[in-house]
Amino acid sequence: MTPDAIRALLEEVAQGRRTPDAALAALKDLPFQDLGFAKVDHHRALRLGVPEVIFGQGKAPDHLAAIARTIVERGHDLLVTRVDAAQAEAVLAAVPDAQHEPRARTITARRAQRPAPPPHPVLVVCAGTSDLPVAEEARITAEACGSRVETLYDVGVAGIHRLLAHTQVLRRAGVVIVVAGMEGALPSVVGGLIDRPVIAVPTSIGYGAAFGGLAALLGMLNSCAPGLTVVNIDNGFGAGYAAARINALGAREQGA
Amino acid sequence: MTPDAIRALLEEVAQGRRTPDAALAALKDLPFQDLGFAKVDHHRALRLGVPEVIFGQGKAPDHLAAIARTIVERGHDLLVTRVDAAQAEAVLAAVPDAQHEPRARTITARRAQRPAPPPHPVLVVCAGTSDLPVAEEARITAEACGSRVETLYDVGVAGIHRLLAHTQVLRRAGVVIVVAGMEGALPSVVGGLIDRPVIAVPTSIGYGAAFGGLAALLGMLNSCAPGLTVVNIDNGFGAGYAAARINALGAREQGA
Amino acid sequence: MTPDAIRALLEEVAQGRRTPDAALAALKDLPFQDLGFAKVDHHRALRLGVPEVIFGQGKAPDHLAAIARTIVERGHDLLVTRVDAAQAEAVLAAVPDAQHEPRARTITARRAQRPAPPPHPVLVVCAGTSDLPVAEEARITAEACGSRVETLYDVGVAGIHRLLAHTQVLRRAGVVIVVAGMEGALPSVVGGLIDRPVIAVPTSIGYGAAFGGLAALLGMLNSCAPGLTVVNIDNGFGAGYAAARINALGAREQGA
Amino acid sequence: MTPDAIRALLEEVAQGRRTPDAALAALKDLPFQDLGFAKVDHHRALRLGVPEVIFGQGKAPDHLAAIARTIVERGHDLLVTRVDAAQAEAVLAAVPDAQHEPRARTITARRAQRPAPPPHPVLVVCAGTSDLPVAEEARITAEACGSRVETLYDVGVAGIHRLLAHTQVLRRAGVVIVVAGMEGALPSVVGGLIDRPVIAVPTSIGYGAAFGGLAALLGMLNSCAPGLTVVNIDNGFGAGYAAARINALGAREQGA
Amino acid sequence: MTPDAIRALLEEVAQGRRTPDAALAALKDLPFQDLGFAKVDHHRALRLGVPEVIFGQGKAPDHLAAIARTIVERGHDLLVTRVDAAQAEAVLAAVPDAQHEPRARTITARRAQRPAPPPHPVLVVCAGTSDLPVAEEARITAEACGSRVETLYDVGVAGIHRLLAHTQVLRRAGVVIVVAGMEGALPSVVGGLIDRPVIAVPTSIGYGAAFGGLAALLGMLNSCAPGLTVVNIDNGFGAGYAAARINALGAREQGA
Amino acid sequence: MTPDAIRALLEEVAQGRRTPDAALAALKDLPFQDLGFAKVDHHRALRLGVPEVIFGQGKAPDHLAAIARTIVERGHDLLVTRVDAAQAEAVLAAVPDAQHEPRARTITARRAQRPAPPPHPVLVVCAGTSDLPVAEEARITAEACGSRVETLYDVGVAGIHRLLAHTQVLRRAGVVIVVAGMEGALPSVVGGLIDRPVIAVPTSIGYGAAFGGLAALLGMLNSCAPGLTVVNIDNGFGAGYAAARINALGAREQGA
Amino acid sequence: MTPDAIRALLEEVAQGRRTPDAALAALKDLPFQDLGFAKVDHHRALRLGVPEVIFGQGKAPDHLAAIARTIVERGHDLLVTRVDAAQAEAVLAAVPDAQHEPRARTITARRAQRPAPPPHPVLVVCAGTSDLPVAEEARITAEACGSRVETLYDVGVAGIHRLLAHTQVLRRAGVVIVVAGMEGALPSVVGGLIDRPVIAVPTSIGYGAAFGGLAALLGMLNSCAPGLTVVNIDNGFGAGYAAARINALGAREQGA
Amino acid sequence: MTPDAIRALLEEVAQGRRTPDAALAALKDLPFQDLGFAKVDHHRALRLGVPEVIFGQGKAPDHLAAIARTIVERGHDLLVTRVDAAQAEAVLAAVPDAQHEPRARTITARRAQRPAPPPHPVLVVCAGTSDLPVAEEARITAEACGSRVETLYDVGVAGIHRLLAHTQVLRRAGVVIVVAGMEGALPSVVGGLIDRPVIAVPTSIGYGAAFGGLAALLGMLNSCAPGLTVVNIDNGFGAGYAAARINALGAREQGA
């Protein structure tokens, strides 16, 4: 039941064509979202530049392509995550101007008009080259959600001077995403150097007692650097989305 | 906003004292449950004989006593679970006719009128005497929720003949709750003997590699007896509540 | 030793052709099930419409086909779960009218006469499209066991309004199966909306700290919604079987 | 070596009293933080209103009291977390105007001048009354770090309408902290209702397969609501600190 | 229904006072163990010298004392495991000649006549002095079950020569129980030195990553010494019982 | 240094050709096993009929074939476990009369003369047809180690009457091996029916929360049936070897 | 059998009073360690200054005191770890000049003459003040084993500049022990700064998902800094002992 | 900024061409490592003979080949670990004289001049032939880092005499690496026999409850042999690197 339908119902009551009791019964099981949720969602998409996001993993290529075409035809931005080669081929056939990033396993396409990005960039830091796919997923997601993004890659804690050499880059970021596998120590060090929000992303990189990212995850959750928050193992998308949402707060305040 | 408030609003529209648009705005953020959820809850309580349930663990004795008094004063049945001695003393001072079962750690009091119980009893089976507190919590909960309950205690699988000697009891039950710690094998055996719904309750009884009930929990989840469902470790309350809900289905159908 | 054999033995005693002591010796190791278990099983199959169920995983295609042919030749209904393509081909060659559902990985065939289904449907709810194979296994199992089934798919908790829009569907079910992976939160929400038995099925959908369904399993076991019971990860069959068994209680009471 | 010391050294070089090579040797092991880190820390404290924080657990009462006295004497704000009764008594004797919140296990004292709080409040939501100590630790920390805080307590997912009745409160928050034990499903539902940053705090509330908060932690990490980030089990301090840091971004942008 | 009752029933059939059909009906649900199980259990007790065993943990002292008195009054041997001081005092008051071993947490009393012990002793080996309570529980259980027992204590693998100095003792044993905590390596070494059955008992001795005996348990299960079998953590009783059962095989064969 | 070499050394001392001090020096680092261990091993092989055992997994086919050929050329019995098809082909080419059991993944060959088997058979019981590879590995190992073996397959606890119908078979065994996956409950039931040693083998059969055999392993370790011992997951070899070793005790006593 | 006994035996052979065959028989089961192991141990104690070490936890105070008195009476150095107050009182009564360090839970006493310590100190680094008990146990152990020890406490990674300010201290160490709880990241950073052996000690400090030191342990095992080795959680003794053993290598080479 | 650049800056100050304040500003963000870290690294490479190490796993063959070529062209030694066949082919095409060890999955090439190796060898001990790939990775790494290496393979604890026969080899080592899977008991035994540093490497060899090396890892961490340190599962590289670093201490002291 849409707001229009509710208004029509109320008009009938106003015109005496429906009794208050009959209207009450009709309203009783009113689906909640019809009262305006969809509109709110729409507002959010416009304001934050959040695209429609599809989790590609496990979806049939033709199915994925159809969803993607529908989205861009409605004039929405497109972000597909966790796509493999066959899926990418199908989606690019349907949306020829889309961008496929094999390393990040993403496909993006621009359709919507975007507001100006927040004043500070999101910074994506990663510990080793093996963490790049997750870091890139975070970067592309944050960009798709409307933030500018800078990157600082391959600055693991075992060579801490590489990180310390870039404190200027760290300090100009609005939000920092730190991606690390193995022992997951990098976010603690970064969190101690700056006073901006830090989102830690454990990756499944490692072997033996890394237990598929568990070691890095536990390390990040137990970080002694206050103000750190954590997302799921390999969840570059979640980190990028959260970072853009946080980064947009400043812009929103100014515009509010 | 209660149904009465909504009716009042609709009356205003009918009487022209409020425009449909103004009413629409008032309705837009209408809390969902005010459209009838409370009434549904009330109906359920009457039909199933479900009392108001309080999880006692960690609550201050005087706080608990105050809640209990309020419930019985409203004419509702009372069920408090996980009470210790100090809590029990406080509640009994507030509700002198309440029943305290120290082994099951429950307090109950009757106030509401109850429908006739479902035709078949809920049967609570347990493997060893150490499982009795959980079994008793299940028994008292199922009774408080309106079912008759029978029990078959101390029939562990290592002496399977003890169980097999009571197949008649097993077969006349409407729903069977099986409580077991250690290896948690009893529900599988019971589930193979009867065709009624079986709810398995792992207990934290055991030592060493029992890991606080984990062994029993995993055993029950992996049971080769189809039709078995499982609740949390030591969750006699959950099992008794679910069993009574299932057992009431038959009664409901007849009256529907 | 069948009941007939026991009767023959007793006849010999009655006729003085065998002494009571000799008969006692013969009875002493009497296999238990020969006293009537098989008959009970037979009764159950007729009353509940429970088919003969084969767990296909790991069985050789020709072996599986032979078992399936034997079952339908005896006039029993057939349900094979966890079949792959090669197994399906072999079974369909042996039982040409059987139905293969690739997504649910099931094969079914009807032979037996069925009683009327219980008055209320089993409702299968699932959180995301990735949970569909498990949800479909639950649906087909519950149908094979004699219940009508309705479905409510893709109503995850992150968009709670999608679920709330369908409360009518939820309320007309006799039993509800809720299938969810990732954090496994959907059963808690559903369990709070209705007063019917709810069976939760965790799926292995997710990545990282989902740990193959462990996160969803733990979430469901710890649900704060009372009356919820849980089955093994990805165990759509177990949920469908238990739901049909529970749903049949109402029908049975009426016919008893 | 402070910046002043470095300047002095450079003056000596300029005046020819020290050769460049000798200065190079003196600089070679220059401690990094002396180049300005301490000043940065100072700046941060002023700008964010972040107090000096002490983790009280395990510290001797008299030791704790001495640290606390030193902090307030330097004119800094004080926040002590995880204090027990004996520690609190000692600290209050040393800092008589400090505030002790037994439920949150915190002690706070105001000394520093604070900037105006960010325009939107931090909202702390919790699922059950047992989660209150953690929620209160988050609330007090966020306030001590300069944000206004609102609370929405006891709105668990099993009664989802209680939450839905307060969507207005949810929407006016700048950042939302969601505290939940047991299955930890509440953050997923909240994350689906609003577009602000959401920080999830699992608590160790529960029993059996809750495994000391593990179930809630895994549930939150696997949430299907994008944009959610997570902190350690029972880490109300970490959530409050991160939320205030995020919430201050808007204020900072305006003042920058 | 006892064998006597069955015989009476058959006599009635023989005398024509009951028809075969009526007898069949009476037999149909005959409890299985009444056909002779109890007698078998009795035989086993005589032949193996197995006493009645009570798991003391968690039982009320007076309850425990009553059970113990009943057992010895029936002329059975008594073995109570996991008793604490209060329980021991109560049992000793009821059975004054019973033996209490505080370190092993056992109480034993002799009543039954015993057959000669098997020709070879059970040998109990333990790694460190902290493992003694479990080793002693194993020793006392094996003795109570009719075997002679020798002990070889404090021979951990880090000083392998201590063990090698006692190969004569190892070789004259019929069955060897090896008790070890920490890394649990001792059974592997013992299993490589002798060709008798070896039962490994992990203990919860250790700290940190010993995880309450898990490390020792996994070590023993993965032993590269063939022929090793394992019991639960700290389960000295189970090991002693199994060892005596195995050790009695030789004696039985000779007498068979 | 062989016993012959030691004897030669001692002869030199006796003949005055080597001083006692020089002989002492030569003996000081005498390798331990040269004092007779190899001979003991040889004795064991003759007495128990234990073949030379090779763990095939991961070995190169030609390497495996060469080892196998060497063993049979020395006149020893051969047992290879965990062989795949390629390995089997290579071994059979080298030892043409060897027996390959694909399901059990074993190869055996007879060369040595064997003593008469122990008087009672080893009984291998298994719960489901999926457990057959492990059960067969146990059967072939026990046979290769000199015991007669009987089998009782497909008698899971969910149809307990199938097991109870075969109590005669259970009772005539000397040692019983029980193989089960999923919840691993069968050994508990068997252990309650008989008084012979029972060795439990968990298998990795199952899915979801079976966690690769962990559920069955924990179930067996926590069994309430005393006298049960356990081996590693899927370790049919270890169970068969231990069972034969135990079963040989009776025979040994008679011959000692 | 001591070397003297062997020599006596050989003398008998030389004198013709014992035949070579009789001597061979006597030697056959010669305990291995009697050939010189004890002497080796003695040598090691002198050369490394390793004291006799007693793990105090769980030992009776009087028992512990008796062991301690015996050790010092033999002229050996004493090191008791994990002592509580009652144990310390008893030991100090027996060995009045012993040193008790309550924080480290150690007691030490000097008796033996010591060689000069190795040229470089062992450095003990720890992350937070809560890690001090473990760090101190490491320090005292390394000193008792003959090394000089320096300490660098409270230099956690969240304030990395505190560590970087002390690189001179790090570089003059022979071996570095790094003690850290929570996320355990400090050893990775230290390992990247120096080229000396680094031993990492995880502590059980932390809460929630620290899981009693598991997070720190996994972090250290997965460290990306090569050359790092790890000991058990809270095992300051093991780290101190290993560090002293490593540190002594240099001294030994010079003296060899 | 290199030391030369700093000197140039200081020269400018000395010559009055730059004020002290301007120089201070230029120095303020001076990257830390430019103060000499690179030189230290260079020194370390020369002194320890540590090659440039590349972790090959997951890198593209052509990428890996390019890195390798660059390293040898700079005159550095090369060590690539975890290479597969395709990677090896590419690297050997780029560096034709490199050595590929397929079993150890390493590639090495010599370019740098090496100091004399430390006086004692590193000894690599392994338990079974399946552990060889990890043992060989350790051996090749230790050699590449400048130590001589001896090996003692296939000496598992179940045949402890095989190990004891080689005590001479054990005693002449400077550092011992012990590689073992399954129960991981070998390092404890070795650690009890010698007084040199022992580094334990758990391997993922085993099945069932070996849990991918977890059993061996826990066994080693809980070893009762003091002085043992542990590296990650299958981390032969880490063990070899640490062993060479430790072994070089002696050599360094002599040269210092």
Side-chain angles (χ1 to χ4, degrees), chain B residues 85-97:
Chain B
Q87 291 172 322
E89 192 177 357
V91 172
L92 290 177
V95 188
D97 68 322

Short mmCIF file of all heavy atoms in Angstrom, two decimals, chain B residues 85-97:
data_model
loop_
_atom_site.label_atom_id
_atom_site.label_comp_id
_atom_site.label_asym_id
_atom_site.label_seq_id
_atom_site.Cartn_x
_atom_site.Cartn_y
_atom_site.Cartn_z
N ALA B 85 18.75 -18.57 45.38
CA ALA B 85 18.03 -18.60 46.66
C ALA B 85 17.58 -17.20 47.08
O ALA B 85 16.44 -17.00 47.52
CB ALA B 85 18.91 -19.23 47.73
N ALA B 86 18.47 -16.21 46.95
CA ALA B 86 18.13 -14.86 47.40
C ALA B 86 17.00 -14.28 46.56
O ALA B 86 16.08 -13.62 47.08
CB ALA B 86 19.37 -13.96 47.32
N GLN B 87 17.06 -14.53 45.25
CA GLN B 87 15.98 -14.04 44.39
C GLN B 87 14.66 -14.71 44.76
O GLN B 87 13.61 -14.06 44.82
CB GLN B 87 16.32 -14.32 42.93
CG GLN B 87 17.48 -13.49 42.40
CD GLN B 87 17.91 -13.96 41.01
OE1 GLN B 87 17.91 -15.16 40.73
NE2 GLN B 87 18.28 -13.03 40.15
N ALA B 88 14.73 -16.01 45.02
CA ALA B 88 13.50 -16.74 45.34
C ALA B 88 12.85 -16.19 46.60
O ALA B 88 11.63 -15.99 46.66
CB ALA B 88 13.80 -18.22 45.49
N GLU B 89 13.66 -15.91 47.60
CA GLU B 89 13.13 -15.40 48.85
C GLU B 89 12.39 -14.08 48.63
O GLU B 89 11.28 -13.87 49.14
CB GLU B 89 14.30 -15.19 49.83
CG GLU B 89 13.86 -14.94 51.26
CD GLU B 89 15.07 -14.82 52.19
OE1 GLU B 89 16.22 -15.01 51.70
OE2 GLU B 89 14.90 -14.54 53.37
N ALA B 90 12.99 -13.22 47.82
CA ALA B 90 12.38 -11.93 47.56
C ALA B 90 11.06 -12.08 46.80
O ALA B 90 10.06 -11.41 47.10
CB ALA B 90 13.35 -11.03 46.77
N VAL B 91 11.05 -12.95 45.80
CA VAL B 91 9.83 -13.11 45.00
C VAL B 91 8.73 -13.74 45.85
O VAL B 91 7.56 -13.32 45.78
CB VAL B 91 10.12 -13.95 43.74
CG1 VAL B 91 8.82 -14.29 43.01
CG2 VAL B 91 11.08 -13.21 42.81
N LEU B 92 9.07 -14.72 46.66
CA LEU B 92 8.05 -15.37 47.48
C LEU B 92 7.47 -14.41 48.51
O LEU B 92 6.30 -14.51 48.89
CB LEU B 92 8.63 -16.61 48.16
CG LEU B 92 8.92 -17.76 47.18
CD1 LEU B 92 9.56 -18.94 47.92
CD2 LEU B 92 7.64 -18.23 46.48
N ALA B 93 8.28 -13.47 48.98
CA ALA B 93 7.75 -12.46 49.89
C ALA B 93 6.73 -11.59 49.17
O ALA B 93 5.73 -11.16 49.76
CB ALA B 93 8.89 -11.60 50.44
N ALA B 94 6.97 -11.34 47.87
CA ALA B 94 6.06 -10.48 47.11
C ALA B 94 4.84 -11.26 46.62
O ALA B 94 3.76 -10.69 46.48
CB ALA B 94 6.81 -9.87 45.91
N VAL B 95 5.00 -12.51 46.29
CA VAL B 95 3.92 -13.35 45.77
C VAL B 95 3.87 -14.61 46.62
O VAL B 95 4.39 -15.66 46.24
CB VAL B 95 4.15 -13.70 44.28
CG1 VAL B 95 2.92 -14.41 43.70
CG2 VAL B 95 4.49 -12.45 43.47
N PRO B 96 3.23 -14.55 47.78
CA PRO B 96 3.37 -15.64 48.76
C PRO B 96 2.89 -17.00 48.27
O PRO B 96 3.38 -18.03 48.74
CB PRO B 96 2.53 -15.15 49.94
CG PRO B 96 2.48 -13.67 49.81
CD PRO B 96 2.46 -13.42 48.33
N ASP B 97 1.94 -17.04 47.34
CA ASP B 97 1.46 -18.35 46.91
C ASP B 97 2.26 -18.93 45.75
O ASP B 97 1.88 -19.95 45.18
CB ASP B 97 -0.03 -18.25 46.52
CG ASP B 97 -0.21 -17.43 45.26
OD1 ASP B 97 0.51 -16.42 45.10
OD2 ASP B 97 -1.06 -17.78 44.42
#
